[in-house]
Amino acid sequence: MPDVGPARITEGVHSRTAAPLLVLIDMSSETHAIRLAPAELKNDCIAAVRAAGGDAATAEALAEATVQAELRRKPDVGATHLLDYLDALRDGRLNGSPHPRLEQPRPAVIRVDADEGAAQVSFRQALPSLVRSAREVGVAALSISNSFSTGELAHYTTHVAESGLLALACTNSPALMSAFGSREPITGTNPLSFALPHALGPRVFDQASSETAWVSVRDAAENDDAIPRGWALDPAGSPTTDAGEALDGALLPFGGVKGANIAFMVEMLAALSGGSFSIDAAPFDSGARSSRLGLFIAAIDPAAFDPGFADRAEAHHQRLADAHGVDFGRRKRLPAEIALPREVHEALRSTARAVPESSR
């Protein structure tokens, strides 16, 4: 194997969130990157998902989410993470041909059973109903249950905000984090995302409830680096700076009890319509059993409260940026090309080549 400098390997002894496909990824520079137009990457993703067993709807939804994550400079939930989905499709823990079941029991309540498929597929199906209900009633909520990992949470809030609505999204993960003094993982890293709509584009944040992301600890272990105290516990429940021990132990919530409270709030919202609680969820990187997680999204029409809110909020954030250098939501210009590690691109291409073109 050639020397590529500091790197991340997506398979190893500790791989709760890594794909079993061995891929060495150069994390130090773009020397070993290939530049792709978004449309080209999307086509490669679609071909790979179809070859791994996903139907057309699954391929389109996952490819779009992957490209958007890369454009938002979130590679950990972009093409590299798509390898997790490909492996899950092959092993059967992700249903590649789901039939999501949408119900609207009340005017502003939409729920979808994802049929153990990708959350992105169910979201695409439910988005028109969510937007319509929010505009008619003022506030609407969507609850998706029994889905695979949601991927980048900002994907969902951005879509809702692009329809002119405020968006709040919550999802849970398999148990990776300690809380309230527990010595082992009892809840997930449970992220939440919020998006403000505006004609210039949404302002969005997307963050976990843990002190750091799981992939940060995994990367430290693979590079044999120490981690800061306060990130994680070892298997005995003691604070550790050893990343390898942390992977066998538990992450810690940010802000102690405050972060733990948010993690459990997120989990309750995520599991609202029947999704697994984190401690019951199967891992999404191994085995054949679906993690059956949940996703909750609230959509609010600001015009129902104040027709001028979007512009008023934007003026406020611009004032903060001008006077204090504060850039909430970090609205950035999207790049024209995507820099993708060659190893990841080749993994996508090799998956796509696994079946003849006629069968895709």
Side-chain angles (χ1 to χ4, degrees):
M1 186 174 292
D3 179 14
V4 295
R8 178 157 66 84
I9 299 177
T10 65
E11 181 187 38
V13 176
H14 307 289
S15 58
R16 290 189 190 175
T17 62
L21 177 63
L22 183 66
V23 180
L24 184 66
I25 304 172
D26 182 3
M27 300 297 285
S28 60
S29 71
E30 295 185 358
T31 304
H32 297 271
I34 183 171
R35 292 190 171 277
L36 301 170
E40 184 178 1
L41 176 57
K42 184 176 181 180
N43 289 337
D44 288 340
C45 293
I46 288 174
V49 174
R50 295 288 277 148
D55 62 14
T58 298
E60 176 68 25
L62 289 179
E64 187 224 0
T66 298
V67 170
Q68 289 301 312
E70 291 287 347
L71 289 172
R72 283 190 283 266
R73 301 172 180 85
K74 297 291 186 66
D76 285 332
V77 284
T80 301
H81 189 41
L82 184 63
L83 302 181
D84 294 330
Y85 287 85
L86 300 180
D87 205 66
L89 284 166
R90 286 186 289 257
D91 289 350
R93 57 185 173 273
L94 170 57
N95 183 359
S97 300
H99 297 283
R101 294 179 290 278
L102 186 151
E103 298 176 323
Q104 190 160 353
R106 299 187 185 183
V109 175
I110 301 101
R111 62 189 183 204
V112 184
D113 184 325
D115 192 26
E116 300 185 356
Q120 295 88 341
V121 175
S122 293
F123 174 71
R124 276 189 159 212
Q125 178 177 324
L127 181 60
S129 296
L130 178 65
V131 171
R132 181 174 58 252
S133 295
R135 287 176 176 162
E136 290 176 353
V137 180
V139 178
L142 164 65
S143 179
I144 297 174
S145 63
N146 301 329
S147 76
F148 192 68
S149 168
T150 57
E152 185 201 18
L153 200 55
H155 170 75
Y156 306 90
T157 53
T158 297
H159 269 294
V160 174
E162 286 175 344
S163 297
L165 306 172
L166 280 82
L168 174 68
C170 303
T171 189
N172 63 328
S173 76
L176 297 169
M177 191 174 79
S178 166
F180 306 118
S182 67
R183 298 168 66 87
E184 58 189 35
I186 61 171
T187 189
T189 55
N190 300 358
L192 70 160
S193 177
F194 177 74
L196 274 171
H198 193 265
L200 295 175
R203 291 182 177 271
V204 186
F205 78 75
D206 178 352
Q207 66 181 53
S209 300
S210 50
E211 182 65 36
T212 190
W214 177 262
V215 293
S216 298
V217 179
R218 183 183 65 185
D219 291 349
E222 289 163 352
N223 290 321
D224 204 22
D225 293 333
I227 60 173
R229 184 169 292 271
W231 276 18
L233 304 176
D234 66 17
S238 299
T240 184
T241 59
D242 185 305
E245 290 185 349
L247 290 172
D248 287 331
L251 297 182
L252 287 169
F254 75 86
V257 171
K258 295 181 178 68
N261 285 335
I262 290 174
F264 274 87
M265 178 196 72
V266 166
E267 184 170 348
M268 294 305 103
L269 289 173
L272 194 59
S273 64
S276 296
F277 295 117
S278 294
I279 203 168
D280 300 320
F284 58 81
D285 66 333
S286 62
R289 188 163 65 93
S290 170
S291 49
R292 299 174 65 88
L293 296 167
L295 170 64
F296 174 83
I297 303 171
I300 302 170
D301 184 0
F305 300 87
D306 174 9
F309 173 79
D311 288 335
R312 185 160 57 89
E314 179 61 26
H316 172 65
H317 288 109
Q318 190 59 54
R319 174 178 59 173
L320 295 178
D322 292 342
H324 305 286
V326 174
D327 186 14
F328 173 75
R330 293 183 296 281
R331 184 188 293 133
K332 295 180 179 179
R333 185 185 301 276
L334 298 181
E337 292 182 319
I338 294 168
L340 199 68
R342 289 182 183 275
E343 296 81 4
V344 174
H345 188 236
E346 179 53 34
L348 294 176
R349 287 280 178 95
S350 64
T351 299
R353 289 193 296 266
V355 295
E357 182 74 26
S358 60
S359 66
R360 290 179 195 154

